[in-house]
Amino acid sequence: MKISQIAGFLGSGKTTALMKIVDGLMERGDKVAIVVNDVGDISVDAKFVEAHGLKVKEISGGCICCQIAGSFAETIAKLYDNYHPDIVIVEPSGVAIPWGLKRAAEYSEAKTDVHITHAPVITLVDSTRIEMLIRAVKRLVETQIREADVCFVNKIDAATPEEIKMTEQFIKEINPTAEIAYMSAETGEGVEHACDLIENGVSARYDDAVEAERLKTEYNGGE
């Protein structure tokens, strides 16, 4: 079973883009489940995706990659046992860390006979709010970009050329090896590419040694 996570800071357009992507995957014949993580008491996102007739398991009360990782693993195992989806799309909270979420997903292998593979980690970066993101929540956004395989410059239909260029440069500075793509849920640009990545692409599994090296080189300046 493949896990696909679509990350991005709060308000980055994750839910709208996610539903366009899910529609595309289902049109291709994929059986898709969605896990929505929300840090508040009420999840509008969960109601929105359920309105599309999709199975949602909502986990509230904390970040799925750390505080309640056990519950997340159980959710993934139950989805596999009960529905056997081809793809589970995870919409983390806007404060979740992609690499840690991989580890949480793989815990499900101890609870059932599922084998987890990961689609390339997608991070959406809101180009219409790039200056605010850099100013207010730079470190968190940097982490989500750093751990992505593909960064989509999102909301390009509403952004100025200067904002798009600034977003591209910000991504390149943080993660020069990430693919940069472009998305607009309004026009549909980038949706098919995201579907291709989720269906056909593969991202590395969690590895303690790799994580230790990442922490050393990326967060401590190589010291």
Side-chain angles (χ1 to χ4, degrees):
M1 187 169 68
K2 181 172 277 189
I3 303 294
S4 170
Q5 54 175 309
I6 301 176
F9 191 70
L10 299 168
S12 63
K14 292 194 306 295
T15 301
T16 304
L18 181 149
M19 296 316 305
K20 296 283 187 178
I21 293 167
V22 168
D23 286 343
L25 290 170
M26 292 195 302
E27 288 175 2
R28 299 180 180 202
D30 293 308
K31 187 175 182 181
V32 181
I34 300 174
V35 174
V36 175
N37 175 224
D38 183 62
V39 296
D41 294 328
I42 299 174
S43 175
V44 176
D45 288 351
K47 294 177 181 178
F48 179 72
V49 294
E50 283 180 334
H52 281 67
L54 296 162
K55 183 65 182 178
V56 175
K57 175 62 179 179
E58 181 182 353
I59 306 175
S60 294
C63 169
I64 52 181
C65 69
C66 49
Q67 292 171 296
I68 53 174
S71 295
F72 179 60
E74 290 173 5
T75 295
I76 296 299
K78 288 178 181 177
L79 280 172
Y80 176 78
D81 289 339
N82 296 329
Y83 301 101
H84 292 283
D86 302 306
I87 299 166
V88 176
I89 294 186
V90 182
E91 181 189 358
S93 73
V95 297
I97 305 302
W99 190 254
L101 191 148
K102 284 186 176 184
R103 175 172 56 180
E106 290 167 18
Y107 288 159
S108 65
E109 294 177 332
K111 300 177 181 297
T112 186
D113 63 351
V114 67
H115 175 70
I116 298 297
T117 59
H118 298 283
V121 174
I122 292 172
T123 292
L124 303 182
V125 186
D126 184 352
S127 56
T128 67
R129 297 191 303 158
I130 187 61
E131 288 187 279
M132 183 279 292
L133 293 173
I134 293 174
R135 181 177 65 254
V137 288
K138 182 179 181 182
R139 185 173 181 83
L140 179 58
V141 175
E142 284 179 345
T143 299
Q144 293 185 334
I145 291 172
R146 183 180 290 114
E147 299 191 3
D149 297 300
V150 183
C151 290
F152 277 85
V153 179
N154 198 26
K155 302 183 184 179
I156 59 171
D157 59 295
T160 66
E162 291 76 19
E163 288 172 329
I164 292 173
K165 184 176 181 180
M166 182 183 297
T167 306
E168 293 170 342
Q169 187 59 37
F170 183 56
I171 293 169
K172 289 177 182 177
E173 289 175 357
I174 304 304
N175 189 346
T177 64
E179 176 189 340
I180 297 178
Y182 304 87
M183 182 171 289
S184 166
E186 294 298 321
T187 67
E189 182 172 349
V191 173
E192 284 298 309
H193 182 46
C195 291
D196 288 338
L197 289 167
I198 292 169
E199 271 197 334
N200 305 316
V202 178
S203 184
R205 285 169 60 88
Y206 181 86
D207 185 290
D208 285 327
V210 173
E211 176 66 354
E213 186 63 24
R214 287 163 65 94
L215 289 170
K216 178 181 177 182
T217 60
E218 295 177 358
Y219 295 92
N220 294 325
E223 295 179 4

